[in-house]
Amino acid sequence: MRFHVLGPLEVIRDGQPIVVPGVHQRATLGFLLLYPNTAVATSRLLRALWDQDPPVTARKMVQNAVAGLRRTLSGGADVLTRPPGYQLSVRTDQVDLPAFQDLSARGRTELAAGSWAAAAATLAAALGHWRGPALADLVEEGLAWPEVAALDSARMVTFEDWAQAQLALGHHQELVPELEAAVEATPLRERLTGLLMLALYRCGRQADALERYRRTRGALVDQLGLDPGHELQRLERAILDHEPWLTPRSTAALTSRHGALLTPGRLITGSGAITGGGAGRDSWAGRDRGAGRDRGAFAVSRGVAAAGDGGVRPSAVEAVPALAPGMRSARKWVSVLAGRLEIGSGSSELSDPEDADRILRAVTATVRAETARFGGEVHTALGSVWIAVFGLPRTREDDAERAVRAGLAIRRAVAASAEASACGAGQYDLRMAVTTGEVLATLSQATPAAAASPASAGMSGDVTGRCMRLLAAVPRGELRVCEATRAASDGAFTHALTDEHGRGVGGVVAVRSGGLETAFGAGPTGGEGTLHVPFLEREHEKELLHRLLAETGRRRRSRLVTIFGEPGIGKSRLLWEFCREAGDAAGPSAVQFLHGRIGRFPSGPFEVLADVARTWAGITEDDTRDLAVTKLAAAVGMTGAPLGAARRLAAELVPLLDPSWPGGADGSGVLAAWRRALGRFAAVAPTVLVVEDLHRGDDRLLDFLEVLDEQLGHVPLLVVASARPDLLERRPFWAGGKRDATTMSLDQLSPDAVQQLMVDLAVRYGLRPASTGRPSAAEEGPGPAAHECATVAKVGGNPLFAIALVEMLRAAQGADGAGASPALTIDSAGPVGPVAAMVSIPRTVHGVIAAWLDTLPPRSRLVLQGAAVFGATIWAAPVAAECELTREDVLWELEYLERRGVLRQVPTVADPDPRYEFRHVFVRDVAYSQIPRAVRGEWHLCFARWLSDEHGKTAQDDLRRHHHRRADSLTAASG
């Protein structure tokens, strides 16, 4: 007798199907087949058959069903009474489910070993056991079991693995129809969509591949309110750019190139990687521009160092253990949030584990949701203790702040749940701690940090240990942070000290604004802690904005202006100065201003539009919904609209007042109402709408704002948006080809301007000897402090970096007194001369640069790190030799890094290869410090050998000796 559950329930005896009468008998048999040879409690059977509402006679009905099954299955299988319920005793070869599971596991193993043909055959055999959806006839009867959904998901994972093997074999033509049918049936599976897009592209159907991406994105947005993951977005960009790794290669060439860079659920196709192995939103990731071996892991042996030239000992790199295939290691700064929940106290402790389990599950769900909202990942959740990590796999410039904000949000949510529960708020004991520090992270080698799976990232270091030790000392109900977390997030929170010595920063008292960002945020306000910095070298851009505003008013025609610039370059400060001058010059009522900033933690895709509407109508946080609608109607009425029309327009805008409004089916109507309201507002007088940080915007918001000036018609509206260059990575043709669109890029400040800025701040902070007065214009600066501030190369023309450097020098001289240090000490790339192992860098600058570097594609980051190790001046040949890339590949990457603002080209005459240098010395130091020490030692040694081979023993002598010294010290330090 055989039993089939992978399709409609079927029982076969001697090759003939037999009838199992009655829905209760069939349902009981189907559920027991999901747990063969396992005792299933009667209570579980009751829930499976009747959910939460079983009839009074349910147990008797189950007993009757079991008795009927014993008669029907007599001689083929036994239904045994086994406390606490019943057990179906069968051989594993009698049920199709174990056979499917065994074949699927074997197929994934063959896939990981690179045996594409064997994997395809095995996985096809596994899929051959399916005759339709699992237990389809019982599902039609209304029985919805999680086990059945899990089986169907496992079937899709196996199908995706089979499709990967077929793609590796070059069968994309035959694969397209099956993938199209599967995607139509399950449009939310991103991994499946990625496979179809790749197959379509290889069939020469680029437009169809991009259309499939757009349809999947629309389904995700409409049904889940989510954008596609970074993996699918990167695939779309790769298809747009016709990146070489998308082209299929032969299996032999692939195997010899990459070896066994495969794990279960992972396939390297060409030079790309498609990852998967789970249900739901599976991952797809591709390696960018991938000729050559990705040396992200760096853990390879290079033999023994040559004798002489610095006396280098036998290289210790040989002892470095290799990482798992397909993985790389990197030094990264992370923040760890740990929490512990205790329910009840004393005699009121919960004694029933099911009651405690219900509460802990609810709290764990809250922890996961809030952690994900702030960009973190729960790495461990065991009972009442959980640990979340921020900064893996992708570093963000505000990971410490994100961790603290997540902790505060969890505390609010848990307190609200406690108030509503039977236990009461006083019975919830929640304690949390946050620590920040450097770890050695292990990440996917082929996947960009921005797109890797956090759950697959590992880390080594004492940050988690310190967090648990701090958590043990946290009083009930408090959130405490370490000194490093305080220093990294002090501009956003008010902290309380825990002891009389000012050590061990305690609970976060309140969220506040402040820090260096205010210097270029809302502008100088004169408030406490605000830096009054000079406005330098932006007069041309400001005058251009004034001219565009005047032209907008004269022609009564809307215009879009986008200001691009790297982090901290002064975009917000330029906008503040422009708006201030425009308002002063035109009078209080001649020009109207509306301002919105896309926050780092938006609660909805159109939150910035809601903020603009609130500002325009004067709506406050304390206003009720009805009062907010009344204010909106009054604001519309002030534009001359009839009372009835004003009320109707305000009513249409009501959904937008909820910042978490996701759009949905009525989204176009609400956005059209917002656009009409803005048009009426701008028709009254010339209007400037400022939208800051556009690069953080949702794609739907970007679609709306990009055509706003065209759809408003003849009204004097100047839309000014600021964005980082990251926006052009997502939207390379942003506002391209439009008649009334202007784009400007803010360049770095000149060395003279940076010198003036730093000297001005140094004087204001008193960074000079006591005997020295304020310097005159002819003086170099205020003594030794001015000499340190004159290191313009460190900041590379970035005013935020310059301010942060002065703040760091101020703290080093004791001007701030006690408090958290604004500096980090990291490994320095060092000069060509004597070894300078460490360098101080402002925390703000380190966070910005580290986050910036994590947005680079893997191979670009590899070339950048090789350049950071090589020296102050870089060209293609040495980097190509070390990274095992072609000269053309490295030249392409160096040009790309120049376009991204990381490098700048140095004019040369004799050398055919262009030479480059880092725009910021800080960027070189951060890139260098992220490489593990053993890897750096290997690279220094290899560069020293390359210099000897290419230029002989006398040429480039200082640089060669520098590399030998660094190789010696680093390999010794790494053991």
Side-chain angles (χ1 to χ4, degrees):
M1 185 175 288
R2 294 188 56 81
F3 301 89
H4 297 157
V5 297
L6 304 180
L9 177 62
E10 193 174 62
V11 181
I12 306 294
R13 187 197 298 268
D14 299 328
Q16 298 296 324
I18 64 174
V19 176
V20 180
V23 65
H24 291 154
Q25 281 195 44
R26 295 182 63 80
T28 301
L29 176 60
F31 197 78
L32 291 175
L33 282 169
L34 296 176
Y35 300 95
N37 302 310
T38 302
V40 178
T42 305
S43 59
R44 292 190 66 186
L45 279 171
L46 295 177
R47 288 195 298 270
L49 270 62
W50 289 283
D51 199 14
Q52 302 298 324
D53 190 24
V56 177
T57 60
R59 286 185 176 271
K60 185 62 177 178
M61 296 169 72
V62 169
Q63 292 171 2
N64 292 337
V66 169
L69 282 175
R70 285 168 175 165
R71 291 190 297 270
T72 303
L73 306 179
S74 176
D78 296 324
V79 182
L80 308 176
T81 300
R82 290 286 186 270
Y86 301 96
Q87 173 181 315
L88 179 64
S89 178
V90 293
R91 301 190 312 273
T92 55
D93 60 353
Q94 289 182 269
V95 188
D96 56 358
L97 177 57
F100 162 74
Q101 292 171 333
D102 291 344
L103 287 170
S104 294
R106 181 150 55 94
R108 278 193 291 272
T109 301
E110 292 167 345
L111 198 66
S115 302
W116 322 121
T122 303
L123 294 169
L127 294 171
H129 284 282
W130 285 80
R131 299 166 293 109
L135 297 175
D137 54 331
L138 297 179
V139 174
E140 287 296 322
E141 295 288 345
L143 298 175
W145 298 334
E147 294 87 348
V148 173
L151 281 178
D152 288 330
S153 180
R155 177 192 185 187
M156 288 307 303
V157 171
T158 302
F159 175 80
E160 290 165 345
D161 291 339
W162 171 79
Q164 289 183 3
Q166 293 290 343
L167 277 175
L169 294 171
H171 299 161
H172 40 272
Q173 294 279 3
E174 304 91 325
L175 198 59
V176 165
E178 294 194 57
L179 284 174
E180 286 180 329
V183 170
E184 287 295 332
T186 55
L188 300 184
R189 294 184 72 92
E190 295 188 35
R191 181 188 177 200
L192 196 59
T193 298
L195 290 165
L196 176 56
M197 290 171 63
L198 186 58
L200 289 170
Y201 179 84
R202 290 182 174 180
C203 293
R205 298 168 59 183
Q206 178 191 9
D208 292 339
L210 295 174
E211 176 60 24
R212 170 51 58 187
Y213 171 83
R214 284 188 283 271
R215 290 173 62 183
T216 299
R217 178 182 176 276
L220 288 168
V221 169
D222 291 341
Q223 298 183 39
L224 303 178
L226 298 173
D227 275 331
H230 292 291
E231 301 89 347
L232 209 59
Q233 294 181 30
R234 288 180 179 273
L235 174 59
E236 182 210 21
R237 290 197 294 273
I239 290 175
L240 287 170
D241 295 340
H242 296 280
E243 295 195 6
W245 67 263
L246 294 171
T247 304
R249 298 180 183 180
S250 69
T251 302
L254 175 66
T255 305
S256 64
R257 188 90 188 208
H258 294 283
L261 288 181
L262 302 176
T263 57
R266 178 181 302 273
L267 165 68
I268 305 292
T269 54
S271 293
I274 301 177
T275 65
R281 295 187 57 171
D282 298 312
S283 297
W284 187 99
R287 288 176 59 191
D288 298 79
R289 296 178 299 276
R293 177 163 59 95
D294 189 335
R295 289 287 309 286
F298 300 112
V300 294
S301 175
R302 287 300 186 113
V304 182
D309 269 339
V312 182
R313 298 187 304 272
S315 174
V317 178
E318 293 179 330
V320 179
L323 296 174
M327 304 302 288
R328 64 181 177 87
S329 59
R331 299 168 67 107
K332 298 176 75 71
W333 282 79
V334 302
S335 292
V336 174
L337 168 65
R340 185 177 73 244
L341 178 72
E342 297 177 7
I343 309 166
S345 60
S347 60
S348 63
E349 290 184 1
L350 290 180
S351 58
D352 194 300
E354 292 192 22
D355 293 337
D357 177 74
R358 183 179 65 256
I359 295 174
L360 289 175
R361 284 179 181 274
V363 171
T364 301
T366 298
V367 168
R368 291 188 184 279
E370 294 297 338
T371 299
R373 184 161 73 93
F374 289 96
E377 175 79 8
V378 176
H379 275 228
T380 302
L382 180 62
S384 60
V385 179
W386 39 264
I387 299 173
V389 179
F390 296 77
L392 284 181
R394 176 181 177 179
T395 300
R396 292 180 174 87
E397 58 199 74
D398 53 0
D399 283 319
E401 180 184 346
R402 288 171 180 269
V404 176
R405 287 187 181 273
L408 295 176
I410 292 168
R411 186 168 65 179
R412 287 193 299 269
V414 171
S417 298
E419 290 285 356
S421 71
C423 292
Q427 300 302 314
Y428 275 65
D429 184 357
L430 178 63
R431 310 158 196 259
M432 286 182 289
V434 181
T435 54
T436 299
E438 193 175 20
V439 300
L440 182 66
T442 303
L443 304 167
S444 171
Q445 177 173 322
T447 306
S453 169
S456 65
M459 65 179 188
S460 302
D462 193 38
V463 182
T464 303
R466 287 193 291 110
C467 193
M468 297 307 294
R469 291 193 292 271
L470 178 60
L471 179 65
V474 174
R476 174 177 178 169
E478 282 197 14
L479 166 64
R480 289 192 174 180
V481 302
C482 70
E483 195 70 27
T485 304
R486 179 193 177 189
S489 63
D490 198 42
F493 307 100
T494 302
H495 299 272
L497 300 178
T498 61
D499 59 33
E500 66 275 12
H501 302 291
R503 297 190 301 266
V505 179
V508 178
V509 178
V511 179
R512 63 179 173 86
S513 61
L516 290 174
E517 187 174 355
T518 53
F520 296 99
T525 61
E528 183 179 356
T530 302
L531 292 173
H532 296 266
V533 299
F535 183 69
L536 301 171
E537 292 191 345
R538 299 287 185 245
E539 294 296 335
H540 173 73
E541 292 84 354
K542 184 178 65 176
E543 290 301 322
L544 177 57
L545 290 174
H546 283 301
R547 291 198 300 271
L548 292 174
L549 176 59
E551 181 183 357
T552 298
R554 178 177 58 82
R555 300 175 58 195
R556 295 190 64 82
R557 191 183 195 96
S558 300
R559 175 174 284 274
L560 171 64
V561 180
T562 310
I563 303 174
F564 288 101
E566 66 185 61
I569 202 66
K571 302 181 292 295
S572 296
R573 178 64 186 277
L574 169 64
L575 290 173
W576 188 89
E577 293 288 345
F578 159 67
C579 292
R580 180 183 61 81
E581 289 188 3
D584 292 345
S589 60
V591 178
Q592 306 175 106
F593 297 94
L594 294 173
H595 179 270
R597 180 191 292 271
I598 302 175
R600 289 170 292 161
F601 320 111
S603 55
F606 302 106
E607 184 180 30
V608 66
L609 303 185
D611 291 342
V612 171
R614 289 191 182 93
T615 303
W616 174 35
I619 300 172
T620 65
E621 294 181 358
D622 298 329
D623 289 343
T624 64
R625 187 181 184 88
D626 291 339
L627 180 57
V629 173
T630 301
K631 287 185 175 182
L632 267 176
V636 175
M638 293 293 291
T639 64
L643 181 59
R647 289 178 176 173
R648 286 193 299 272
L649 186 56
E652 293 178 32
L653 286 171
V654 166
L656 194 61
L657 296 178
D658 179 4
S660 61
W661 172 67
D666 62 339
S668 59
V670 178
L671 295 178
W674 188 91
R675 186 167 51 241
R676 293 200 308 274
L678 178 64
R680 296 198 66 90
F681 184 77
V684 175
T687 301
V688 178
L689 170 63
V690 175
V691 180
E692 294 196 65
D693 295 330
L694 195 63
H695 55 278
R696 297 175 181 157
D698 182 271
D699 280 334
R700 291 165 292 174
L701 177 66
L702 296 178
D703 292 339
F704 176 76
L705 292 176
E706 188 172 18
V707 297
L708 180 62
D709 58 314
E710 296 175 338
Q711 295 182 345
L712 278 176
H714 294 280
V715 293
L717 174 69
L718 182 65
V719 182
V720 186
S722 66
R724 295 182 183 179
D726 304 355
L727 177 62
L728 295 177
E729 294 289 312
R730 294 170 55 192
R731 298 289 187 100
F733 305 108
W734 171 260
K738 295 178 60 173
R739 177 177 59 179
D740 295 315
T742 302
T743 299
M744 65 174 70
S745 296
L746 296 188
D747 203 358
Q748 297 174 336
L749 298 181
S750 67
D752 290 341
V754 173
Q755 174 75 6
Q756 179 183 343
L757 171 62
M758 298 178 73
V759 168
D760 182 87
L761 293 175
V763 170
R764 294 187 188 189
Y765 283 147
L767 301 182
R768 62 182 186 276
S771 58
T772 304
R774 184 178 179 89
S776 64
E779 291 178 297
E780 290 184 358
H787 176 71
E788 290 187 75
C789 293
T791 56
V792 177
K794 287 183 177 292
V795 302
N798 188 301
L800 179 61
F801 292 4
I803 295 173
L805 183 57
V806 176
E807 286 277 4
M808 184 183 74
L809 297 174
R810 178 192 184 192
Q813 292 194 8
D816 275 331
S821 171
L824 285 179
T825 302
I826 63 174
D827 294 334
S828 169
V832 174
V835 175
M838 309 297 286
V839 65
S840 293
I841 181 172
R843 290 180 184 270
T844 305
V845 175
H846 182 275
V848 169
I849 294 175
W852 189 18
L853 295 182
D854 264 2
T855 65
L856 295 174
R859 203 174 69 178
S860 301
R861 187 171 59 248
L862 172 68
V863 170
L864 181 70
Q865 289 177 332
V869 173
F870 182 70
T873 304
I874 316 106
W875 63 98
V879 179
E882 172 54 27
C883 297
E884 298 186 4
L885 300 172
T886 67
R887 173 180 172 275
E888 290 72 20
D889 286 339
V890 174
L891 282 173
W892 197 100
E893 296 295 348
L894 293 174
E895 292 170 4
Y896 173 77
L897 292 170
E898 183 185 26
R899 293 195 303 271
R900 288 292 299 266
V902 183
L903 304 176
R904 61 167 165 252
Q905 189 171 344
V906 180
T908 58
V909 178
D911 199 324
D913 276 350
R915 303 213 170 194
Y916 296 86
E917 62 183 10
F918 283 85
R919 285 183 178 269
H920 313 274
V921 174
F922 280 147
V923 172
R924 184 189 172 200
D925 285 336
V926 172
Y928 182 85
S929 68
Q930 291 180 338
I931 310 171
R933 290 179 306 188
V935 176
R936 270 182 266 151
E938 178 200 358
W939 277 36
H940 280 296
L941 180 59
C942 292
F943 281 133
R945 291 174 174 174
W946 182 88
L947 288 169
S948 297
D949 293 342
E950 294 294 322
H951 299 282
K953 293 291 184 182
T954 57
Q956 301 281 344
D957 188 64
D958 289 340
L959 183 59
R960 184 159 40 82
R961 289 182 180 277
H962 161 72
H963 285 304
H964 274 299
R965 281 192 295 265
R966 280 298 178 89
D968 191 25
S969 61
L970 287 167
T971 53
S974 65

